[in-house]
Amino acid sequence: MLTNRQKKIIEFLLNNLGVFVTSSRLSSYCNVSERTIKSDIKAIKDKLDNNNRFRLISAPSKGYKLDYTHRVVNASENVLNLNELDYSKDFNEPKSRIRILLKMLLSCGIYHSKRKMIDSVFVSESTFYSDLKIIKGILSNYKLDLLYNKSKGYYIVGEEINKRKCLIKENLIPNLNLSSNMFETDLETISIIRKKLLNILSDYKFKISDKLFEDLLIYLSLAEERIKMKNTINNEVFVDGNIDVEMEIARDIFNKCFNFPEELIYNEILYLALKLRGKRDYDDISYISNKIVDFVSNSFSKIKKEFGVDFSENLDLKVVISLHFVPLLHRVKYDMQLENILLPEIKRSFPFAFDMANYFRILVFEEFDVWINEDEVAYLTLYFNFGLENVVLESKGKKVLIISKLKRSETIILRQRILQWFKNQITKIDIIPPRELCKTDIKSYDTIFTTEEVTDSMSGAFVPISLFPTDQDYSRMNIAINGFKSVDSIMELFDSELFFYGDVKDKNEVINKLIKLAKLKYNLPNKFDELIYSRENMSSTYFGSKIAMPHTLYPITQNTFIVVGLLANEIFWDDDHKVKLVLLVSTEINNPKAFQVWASLSHLVSDEALSDKLTNATSFNDITLIIKNRLKNFL
């Protein structure tokens, strides 16, 4: 059986197929002695002796290379079966081929011949050229170019920093790709780095979230691999400001986690220091300049004017956004903005808070001349949603206790789902582990839920719910908290005069038709059209399940209403999504409770079965009947 290191050597040789690699280079790459490499090579050769497709060639002073035993014609022949190791690939899939070619081009700083690249994915020359066009498009997203030299082949030109961004964002990191069928992750090595990194950050009292810690760990593992392959950052880092503390931490990380001479990796240390600056979780208000504090306060005043929601007395929100703002500005400045895999879910679940965060993005641009991407806006959305919850919770409501074994950091989905369902009814939610139940005054709570198994002693007093509450859970919780309420307040927002059915050629046409219907019924401000399109141009208002909900950038009308556009045929709403149903939504100005209509609408969109019914409806009565029947179970 091959060891993880031997598999790692094979992967390196495959990425450099047909090219000799010295034992010294493999030794540096695997961080072991050349004698160990020679032993590993012998073991690999023994495994390949009975393989009639690949062979390992060694040559004095040149090193080792992996090559085909003969010219492979069919993709099915490309199987390197070394016991548990399976190199079979689906070369009929363009995505698989492109990943292989990208990894080959980015793996080391050498030219790759056209024939070698074609042979590696077993396609025709015309298919290869089609794949290259896609690869060039991907590389351009990272400011990288693909050059071609007739005598040498293909070579990627660009900064090493951008090559690493491409490797990470395109999920091309061999040793960290858990879904890869080729190699297992070197968990032992990563575990060692993780422990050392934790100790170093702890020693410096450097606070960082779990997500950002994992991102940092991935980057360090990649940096180690790239440096071993002589792909280092050189004269690409420009620093504006004092980062002495971060430089000290970065230097300590490289010295304790790796074994590279500092003169070789000074720019690596400098770049890591910048990343640390952008990933840090600040909890000391002294880090925040008066300029930022004043900017956040002024932004809250403008949000109050445009959205009718007053955050001026919410000190917690002001502090948390100010603390988040320092590393955010740094990330934007140095092109290190975070990705957010929950972006679609956040947009769909908290649309009003997302619009506030979008408006805040505009204010940031006007003040600091930097543009925050949509992923970062989604993180800000969670803060603004926290503020909105506090606005709602000012009214009298119920106190809820939840008994769960979930860690505090894992309760956000459960807590947010409950608050989304019962925003107007709950003033407090406490979540405790079962072991603390005996120390808790349960009589002080109006309702008690549990995600754990209900025992005989708990039966009746504790309402069971799942960790990820379903519609059935909602029904139980709704009865426990309030009983049922009328749906008339929501249904009054729909009007047969505000309904369009028919064919349109594109998004702009249907939006214009819906705006025209709204203007026939309401006296709308002159800026209404402009604010609809301003919001649309900022980011897509596609909500999922073939439903879009265009709306103004911020509340501007005197009435809250919904204009329904049911399309005879689907149209593209953005580059990736088609829609069949369009709901143009307007919430009234100076009424902070008006935004609660979004909770009902986002709930409708998140129910795929219901969305299918809505998009297959053929009349206004069909639409309203479906919504009314669903709201009876929701409100």
Side-chain angles (χ1 to χ4, degrees):
M1 180 180 291
L2 292 174
T3 66
N4 283 338
R5 186 177 61 248
Q6 289 162 358
K7 296 175 187 178
K8 189 175 179 180
I9 291 171
I10 294 177
E11 182 183 41
F12 190 83
L13 294 174
L14 277 174
N15 284 335
N16 297 275
L17 198 64
V19 177
F20 279 106
V21 179
T22 65
S23 58
S24 174
R25 190 173 181 188
L26 287 172
S27 170
S28 175
Y29 178 66
C30 296
N31 199 24
V32 294
S33 67
E34 289 189 38
R35 176 179 293 182
T36 301
I37 290 295
K38 290 177 181 178
S39 297
D40 286 338
I41 289 293
K42 184 179 184 303
I44 293 170
K45 269 190 171 183
D46 291 341
K47 288 291 184 182
L48 287 173
D49 279 346
N50 297 323
N51 186 277
N52 61 359
R53 295 173 181 84
F54 293 89
R55 60 180 176 175
L56 185 61
I57 302 171
S58 60
S61 75
K62 289 185 177 181
Y64 313 98
K65 73 174 180 178
L66 199 63
D67 213 339
Y68 303 118
T69 55
H70 61 88
R71 174 69 189 280
V72 180
V73 178
N74 299 316
S76 60
E77 294 185 49
N78 182 39
V79 179
L80 180 53
N81 190 356
L82 305 178
N83 291 338
E84 77 281 9
L85 195 59
D86 179 12
Y87 285 102
S88 59
K89 292 182 178 293
D90 183 5
F91 292 103
N92 294 321
E93 280 291 325
K95 287 184 179 179
S96 297
R97 296 196 304 269
I98 288 164
R99 280 177 53 79
I100 293 167
L101 294 173
L102 266 175
K103 283 175 66 175
M104 179 185 295
L105 289 164
L106 287 164
S107 63
C108 53
I110 62 172
Y111 281 92
H112 296 271
S113 71
K114 181 173 71 174
R115 178 48 53 196
K116 172 187 169 184
M117 294 179 70
I118 291 175
D119 286 348
S120 68
V121 288
F122 312 101
V123 293
S124 66
E125 197 166 298
S126 60
T127 300
F128 171 70
Y129 286 132
S130 296
D131 289 346
L132 277 189
K133 288 182 180 179
I134 298 174
I135 289 172
K136 288 179 180 178
I138 293 172
L139 293 175
S140 67
N141 294 331
Y142 304 97
K143 301 176 183 177
L144 300 172
D145 293 320
L146 183 63
L147 299 186
Y148 177 67
N149 182 294
K150 285 186 178 180
S151 61
K152 295 181 179 180
Y154 293 92
Y155 182 79
I156 291 180
V157 175
E159 295 182 353
E160 172 63 17
I161 290 173
N162 293 330
K163 291 178 182 179
R164 294 184 191 181
K165 288 179 182 178
C166 181
L167 284 164
I168 291 174
K169 293 186 178 182
E170 299 299 326
N171 194 26
L172 298 172
I173 310 173
N175 286 349
L176 294 175
N177 184 5
L178 297 175
S179 63
S180 171
N181 292 324
M182 291 181 65
F183 292 93
E184 299 173 4
T185 303
D186 191 348
L187 294 177
E188 184 179 355
T189 300
I190 293 177
S191 177
I192 292 171
I193 297 175
R194 181 194 297 271
K195 290 176 182 177
K196 290 181 178 179
L197 184 59
L198 279 172
N199 290 335
I200 293 168
L201 296 181
S202 177
D203 289 343
Y204 283 94
K205 296 181 173 58
F206 186 95
K207 294 193 174 183
I208 188 171
S209 69
D210 291 346
K211 171 65 170 63
L212 295 183
F213 178 82
E214 293 300 322
D215 288 346
L216 187 59
L217 182 63
I218 289 173
Y219 175 77
L220 286 172
S221 301
L222 173 62
E224 181 189 23
E225 298 295 325
R226 299 293 290 177
I227 295 170
K228 286 179 179 178
M229 293 189 291
K230 313 300 182 186
N231 295 316
T232 56
I233 296 173
N234 294 307
N235 302 320
E236 302 170 13
V237 185
F238 301 94
V239 180
D240 181 14
N242 189 325
I243 58 168
D244 290 348
V245 174
E246 287 81 6
M247 276 293 289
E248 184 179 348
I249 299 173
R251 185 176 286 108
D252 212 13
I253 289 172
F254 268 99
N255 288 339
K256 292 180 178 178
C257 293
F258 312 116
N259 186 28
F260 301 117
E262 184 168 329
E263 61 271 16
L264 175 68
I265 58 166
Y266 175 77
N267 281 292
E268 297 279 354
I269 295 172
L270 190 59
Y271 186 66
L272 177 58
L274 289 174
K275 290 188 77 68
L276 290 171
R277 183 80 169 180
K279 291 182 180 295
R280 184 168 194 161
D281 277 352
Y282 293 95
D283 63 354
D284 184 351
I285 198 67
S286 64
Y287 277 101
I288 313 304
S289 68
N290 290 333
K291 180 180 180 181
I292 289 177
V293 173
D294 291 342
F295 168 74
V296 173
S297 296
N298 292 334
S299 296
F300 283 3
S301 298
K302 293 177 180 178
I303 286 172
K304 179 183 178 182
K305 179 181 178 181
E306 303 297 353
F307 290 85
V309 179
D310 188 2
F311 293 135
S312 60
E313 300 301 320
N314 192 330
L315 181 60
D316 288 344
L317 181 63
K318 186 180 297 184
V319 170
V320 77
I321 287 185
S322 297
L323 291 172
H324 179 83
F325 201 60
V326 173
L328 171 59
L329 282 180
H330 180 87
R331 291 195 295 270
V332 176
K333 184 175 182 179
Y334 290 99
D335 192 23
M336 296 178 177
Q337 295 192 68
L338 303 176
E339 290 187 358
N340 193 332
I341 60 174
L342 295 177
L343 172 61
E345 182 64 27
I346 290 172
K347 288 178 67 175
R348 183 166 55 246
S349 300
F350 314 117
F352 192 69
F354 187 78
D355 282 349
M356 280 189 175
N358 256 323
Y359 182 69
F360 185 77
R361 165 164 62 169
I362 294 174
L363 299 178
V364 171
F365 177 73
E366 292 174 350
E367 179 69 22
F368 297 94
D369 196 28
V370 295
W371 188 249
I372 302 170
N373 68 23
E374 201 171 38
D375 294 83
E376 293 276 14
V377 169
Y379 285 114
L380 287 168
T381 297
L382 297 178
Y383 293 128
F384 280 108
N385 191 66
F386 163 77
L388 287 172
E389 288 169 4
N390 285 346
V391 170
V392 174
L393 295 179
E394 288 176 358
S395 58
K396 185 177 180 181
K398 303 291 181 67
K399 292 173 64 179
V400 172
L401 175 67
I402 300 175
I403 302 163
S404 177
K405 292 180 181 178
L406 286 174
K407 297 178 182 177
R408 185 179 298 274
S409 61
E410 296 172 338
T411 62
I412 183 170
I413 294 178
L414 178 61
R415 186 185 296 273
Q416 292 293 334
R417 176 61 62 86
I418 294 172
L419 287 173
Q420 180 180 333
W421 278 344
F422 305 102
K423 281 185 176 179
N424 292 325
Q425 293 86 40
I426 299 175
T427 57
K428 184 178 183 182
I429 295 179
D430 288 333
I431 302 178
I432 64 169
R435 66 177 181 274
E436 293 184 13
L437 185 59
C438 60
K439 300 183 293 184
T440 303
D441 180 14
I442 62 174
K443 293 182 180 179
S444 64
Y445 294 90
D446 299 292
T447 309
I448 304 173
F449 301 111
T450 178
T451 63
E452 309 307 315
E453 184 177 353
V454 178
T455 63
D456 291 339
S457 61
M458 296 167 62
S459 182
F462 302 80
V463 180
I465 59 173
S466 66
L467 292 174
F468 302 94
T470 63
D471 289 344
Q472 290 182 339
D473 292 315
Y474 170 79
S475 298
R476 285 195 295 268
M477 297 170 73
N478 193 30
I479 293 173
I481 295 173
N482 301 306
F484 295 103
K485 288 190 174 183
S486 170
V487 300
D488 290 345
S489 58
I490 296 293
M491 296 311 301
E492 287 174 358
L493 302 177
F494 295 89
D495 190 318
S496 59
E497 296 179 14
L498 301 177
F499 176 76
F500 164 79
Y501 176 79
D503 261 325
V504 294
K505 61 182 180 181
D506 55 30
K507 174 171 70 173
N508 288 346
E509 184 178 355
V510 67
I511 289 178
N512 289 337
K513 286 182 179 294
L514 300 186
I515 290 175
K516 185 176 180 180
L517 287 175
K519 287 182 175 180
L520 290 174
K521 187 171 181 65
Y522 298 105
N523 182 22
L524 300 182
N526 293 331
K527 291 181 65 177
F528 185 79
D529 305 41
E530 177 187 339
L531 290 178
I532 288 284
Y533 281 104
S534 293
R535 173 62 185 85
E536 198 63 43
N537 292 333
M538 187 168 290
S539 63
S540 175
T541 53
Y542 176 80
F543 272 68
S545 304
K546 299 182 181 179
I547 299 176
M549 289 194 275
H551 52 280
T552 55
L553 183 60
Y554 47 80
I556 193 174
T557 58
Q558 297 299 319
N559 304 89
T560 298
F561 59 84
I562 300 172
V563 190
V564 180
L566 183 59
L567 307 183
N569 294 289
E570 297 175 3
I571 62 168
F572 273 103
W573 196 258
D574 52 38
D575 292 339
D576 302 314
H577 305 104
K578 287 185 175 182
V579 302
K580 186 79 184 310
L581 178 65
V582 182
L583 303 178
L584 189 148
V585 183
S586 181
T587 54
E588 61 199 73
I589 194 171
N590 296 326
N591 183 356
K593 292 188 177 181
F595 72 82
Q596 295 173 34
V597 67
W598 284 109
S600 298
L601 294 177
S602 62
H603 180 78
L604 295 176
V605 174
S606 63
D607 186 332
E608 291 190 9
L610 180 69
S611 298
D612 288 342
K613 291 181 180 179
L614 289 172
T615 54
N616 289 322
T618 57
S619 69
F620 176 77
N621 288 336
D622 287 345
I623 293 282
T624 52
L625 182 61
I626 293 169
I627 293 175
K628 186 173 184 178
N629 287 336
R630 184 65 185 89
L631 289 177
K632 286 179 180 178
N633 298 322
F634 174 61
L635 295 176

